[in-house]
Amino acid sequence: QVQLVESGGGLVQAGGSLRLSCAASGSIFSINAMGWYRQAPGKQRELVAAITSGGRTNYLDSVKGRFTISRDNAKNTVYLQMNSLKPEDTAVYYCNADVRSVTSPYYRSDYWGQGTQVTVSA
């Protein structure tokens, strides 16, 4: 009943920029934290950036100063602006949300987008 739809991935050259978007829809009462994870070949999935409903952010050290996470609460959408991209940023990026549905008394964090491929070439 809750869906996360991602967009914005693609192929860019090193130093370029991409903006990822993730829109949540369905039987949503409220959303607490939202975040972006990524998984590169042969590596574990890692948290790239997260943002709470109040706007507090957290970033993976390697992307600090280059990536910016933001959200539009009215649209239930989270964004990831990625600048100065490097080849090591290449991965599948997944949106995650901590959502309370209209039928639940508490939040659940097991909502994921389908993943969007980001490829950074040299």
Side-chain angles (χ1 to χ4, degrees):
Q1 293 184 343
V2 177
Q3 298 176 329
L4 302 179
V5 179
E6 303 164 353
S7 63
L11 173 64
V12 297
Q13 296 183 15
S17 298
L18 283 174
R19 185 182 68 186
L20 306 183
S21 299
C22 174
S25 62
S27 302
I28 298 171
F29 180 78
S30 63
I31 301 177
N32 186 18
M34 303 185 79
W36 291 94
Y37 290 73
R38 69 185 183 189
Q39 188 165 20
K43 297 183 178 180
Q44 296 183 5
R45 186 175 298 186
E46 62 183 354
L47 178 65
V48 178
I51 184 168
T52 68
S53 60
R56 179 178 292 274
T57 59
N58 186 41
Y59 294 94
L60 183 68
D61 284 343
S62 62
V63 308
K64 288 181 178 178
R66 300 189 297 120
F67 291 10
T68 302
I69 188 170
S70 61
R71 64 191 290 171
D72 185 337
N73 290 332
K75 297 181 179 180
N76 289 328
T77 299
V78 63
Y79 306 92
L80 185 66
Q81 179 67 45
M82 303 184 293
N83 298 325
S84 301
L85 283 162
K86 303 175 181 180
E88 49 264 44
D89 295 318
T90 296
V92 177
Y93 284 70
Y94 297 91
C95 177
N96 172 256
D98 190 10
V99 180
R100 180 183 174 183
S101 74
V102 296
T103 60
S104 176
Y106 38 66
Y107 291 89
R108 295 178 61 183
S109 61
D110 57 341
Y111 297 102
W112 294 89
Q114 79 283 0
T116 184
Q117 177 71 48
V118 172
T119 302
V120 184
S121 66

